[in-house]
């Protein structure tokens, strides 16, 4: 008999999440039936989507939603061998039982030397968000100028590096000087700290006096309202996330987007990475190749200990992460 630890949503978030919103519980797992496997989480992901999705998809008492890299520790399913690592969507749990249908094997060419945690970040859902958002929503072309916010995070850092690979000029902004230094180190042409500039409008203008062809928006809210005015004619805005609004208890008010959209003939498109579920293999293969070639650099903010999942999640929402926030069990 195995005892799993799980984090449940004790009380729905009101405003910014607090440690008291979560409860740590223990669950006795039953013995395996034929066709089942027992898995142990090795790395778990904490992601911004958990904040809005908790309200949409969860009720109080549910295990927190989320993804992990897990190791198969026992198998009664001939298709799965003990010791193999997979990506699962089993929520904040140390151990769980699966029939194998919901598991994704790491790409077969995954090198032994590469941290498996990257399957939750650059070579996982956030990297794919950058890949499909740029390729299919922004439709960037060589020579164009791309703006990305939350640029030192899991999605943003890949957006900037892919845009460089695809021949663009890249401007990124982030919330600390260390993050800005990191962006320059990984090849961003221009980067600034949006928290310390005296005028966001001026900082955006200085970074690209001719404006922006593409804006990969991870933040929404006031930042997006300012940035939209600096789009070039026929510019494209990929509405990826709105993290500046996820914790609002009262919806933010405009300025509104219609006037610049009309006069600059902009295209603004919201998207979910899951729309390209049938192309994840293509994206993961490309991302793995670029990482192995050193063309895409990865940084992870690793929090040690399953008991620190809520703190890692709250820290990520506060901007304490450089690169992808993960928890090592
Ligand atoms: N559409 C889709 O399919 C997907 C969308 N997303 C979205 O992409 C965005 C980035 O996700 P991800 O890369 O995983 O997360 P990150 O690794 O970028 O972590 C979140 C970052 O957001 C920044 N942030 C937090 N609050 C604010 C704020 N009020 N204003 C500006 N920046 C803020 C912080 O960086 P800083 O220090 O710079 O403020 C923080 O580090 C999120 O909005 C997420 O919801 C993610 C995956 C899929
Ligand atoms: C692997 C789990 C898929 C989660 C999809 C997340 C979409 C994110 C939206 C906003 O953050």
């Amino acid at each position: 008999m195995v005892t799993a630890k799980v984090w449940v949503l004790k009380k729905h978030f009101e405003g910014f999440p607090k440690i008291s919103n979560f409860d740590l519980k223990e669950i006795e797992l039953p013995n395996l039936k034929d066709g089942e496997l027992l898995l142990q989480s090795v790395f778990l992901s904490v992601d911004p989507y958990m904040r809005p999705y908790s309200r949409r998809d969860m009720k109080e008492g549910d295990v927190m939603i989320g993804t992990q890299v897990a190791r198969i520790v026992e198998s009664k399913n001939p298709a799965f061998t003990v010791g193999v690592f997979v990506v699962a969507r089993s929520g904040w749990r140390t151990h769980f039982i699966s029939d194998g249908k919901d598991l994704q094997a790491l790409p077969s060419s995954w090198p032994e030397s590469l941290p498996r945690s990257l399957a939750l970040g650059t070579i996982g859902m956030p990297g794919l968000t950058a890949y499909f958002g740029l390729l299919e929503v922004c439709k960037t072309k060589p020579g164009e100028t791309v703006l990305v916010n939350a640029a030192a995070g899991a999605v943003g850092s890949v957006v900037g590096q892919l845009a460089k690979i695809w021949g663009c000029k890249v401007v990124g902004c982030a919330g600390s000087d260390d993050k800005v230094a990191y962006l320059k180190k990984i090849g961003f042409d221009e980067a600034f700290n949006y928290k310390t500039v005296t005028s966001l409008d001026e900082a955006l203008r200085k970074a690209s006096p001719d404006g922006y062809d593409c804006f990969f928006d991870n933040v929404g809210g006031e930042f997006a309202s300012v940035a939209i005015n600096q789009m070039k004619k026929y510019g494209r805005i990929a509405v990826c996330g709105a993290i500046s609004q996820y914790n609002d208890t009262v919806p933010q008010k405009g300025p509104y987007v219609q006037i610049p959209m009309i006069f600059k003939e902009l295209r603004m498109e919201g998207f979910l990475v899951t729309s390209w579920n049938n192309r994840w293999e293509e994206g993961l293969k490309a991302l793995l190749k670029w990482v192995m070639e050193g063309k895409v650099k990865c940084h992870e903010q690793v929090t040690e200990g399953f008991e620190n999942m809520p703190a890692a999640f709250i820290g990520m929402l506060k901007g304490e992460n450089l690169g992808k926030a993960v928890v090592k069990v």
Side-chain angles (χ1 to χ4, degrees):
M1 194 81 87
V2 172
T3 305
K5 288 184 183 161
V6 304
W7 277 107
V8 301
L9 179 70
K10 183 176 168 190
K11 188 101 188 66
H12 268 297
F13 308 120
E14 289 298 335
F16 212 91
K18 297 187 280 292
I19 297 285
S20 57
N21 289 115
F22 303 91
D23 220 359
L24 184 58
K25 296 206 162 164
E26 292 195 347
I27 298 177
E28 295 285 327
L29 298 182
N31 291 326
L32 293 187
K33 296 197 221 95
D34 283 342
E36 289 183 337
L37 27 149
L38 173 67
L39 297 106
Q40 181 169 20
S41 301
V42 182
F43 291 99
L44 292 115
S45 186
V46 284
D47 297 87
Y49 75 82
M50 293 165 179
R51 174 64 179 89
Y53 277 48
S54 68
R55 176 61 72 180
R56 203 194 64 166
D57 295 347
M58 293 177 63
K59 55 185 189 317
E60 290 173 358
D62 284 353
V63 175
M64 278 296 296
I65 46 175
T67 310
Q68 57 268 86
V69 171
R71 182 174 171 274
I72 300 172
V73 289
E74 199 185 326
S75 177
K76 285 198 171 179
N77 183 328
F80 293 91
T81 312
V82 169
V84 164
F85 290 86
V86 295
V87 175
R89 296 180 186 183
S90 286
W92 295 16
R93 302 172 192 265
T94 56
H95 298 79
F96 54 97
I97 290 173
S98 162
D99 60 8
K101 288 191 186 125
D102 52 348
L103 304 177
Q104 256 181 290
L106 264 56
S108 54
S109 52
W110 195 281
E112 201 54 41
S113 59
L114 199 64
R116 294 186 181 93
S117 48
L118 294 179
L120 302 174
T122 304
I123 314 171
M125 183 277 285
L128 291 168
T129 304
Y131 178 83
F132 291 115
L134 268 182
L135 195 67
E136 302 296 347
V137 184
C138 286
K139 298 188 193 297
T140 50
K141 294 189 270 299
E144 290 189 327
T145 302
V146 176
L147 170 66
V148 57
N149 48 19
V155 175
S157 58
V158 182
V159 168
Q161 295 182 85
L162 296 189
K164 286 307 296 176
I165 292 173
W166 291 333
C168 300
K169 172 179 169 172
V170 179
V171 177
C173 30
S176 76
D177 292 347
D178 284 349
K179 290 186 181 186
V180 169
Y182 176 70
L183 295 179
K184 292 193 173 147
K185 190 170 134 196
I186 62 172
F188 280 59
D189 298 286
E190 301 285 340
F192 64 86
N193 180 344
Y194 71 92
K195 288 184 179 165
T196 55
V197 290
T198 43
S199 155
L200 178 57
D201 196 58
E202 273 171 32
L204 289 169
R205 203 177 301 279
K206 187 167 165 233
S208 181
D210 296 336
Y212 298 91
D213 301 283
C214 299
F215 171 28
F216 195 109
D217 186 15
N218 288 317
V219 168
E222 194 187 338
F223 188 105
S225 302
V226 174
I228 198 169
N229 291 308
Q230 306 231 6
M231 296 302 292
K232 291 187 191 176
K233 199 157 167 97
Y234 310 121
R236 285 92 64 203
I237 302 174
V239 184
C240 174
I243 197 164
S244 70
Q245 297 166 242
Y246 293 166
N247 295 306
D248 287 349
T249 43
V250 179
Q252 294 177 27
K253 290 252 168 84
Y256 301 104
V257 298
Q258 287 78 6
I259 299 295
M261 287 203 65
I262 294 163
F263 289 109
K264 293 182 175 189
E265 298 186 63
L266 304 177
R267 200 167 55 76
M268 186 176 195
E269 186 178 342
F271 73 96
L272 287 171
V273 63
T274 44
S275 284
W276 294 278
N277 271 347
N278 60 343
R279 289 178 57 193
W280 277 34
E281 204 181 322
E282 163 203 324
L284 293 176
K285 197 172 154 210
L287 290 160
L288 175 58
K289 180 168 171 287
W290 285 316
V291 169
M292 291 315 293
E293 290 170 352
K295 290 183 179 159
V296 171
K297 303 268 190 290
C298 314
H299 194 281
E300 295 179 298
Q301 195 74 45
V302 183
T303 300
E304 296 274 344
F306 184 74
E307 66 281 10
N308 293 318
M309 290 285 308
F313 175 59
I314 292 168
M316 177 277 301
L317 291 175
K318 282 187 188 158
E320 288 169 5
N321 59 308
L322 175 63
K324 175 72 186 106
V326 292
V327 174
K328 186 171 188 299
V329 179

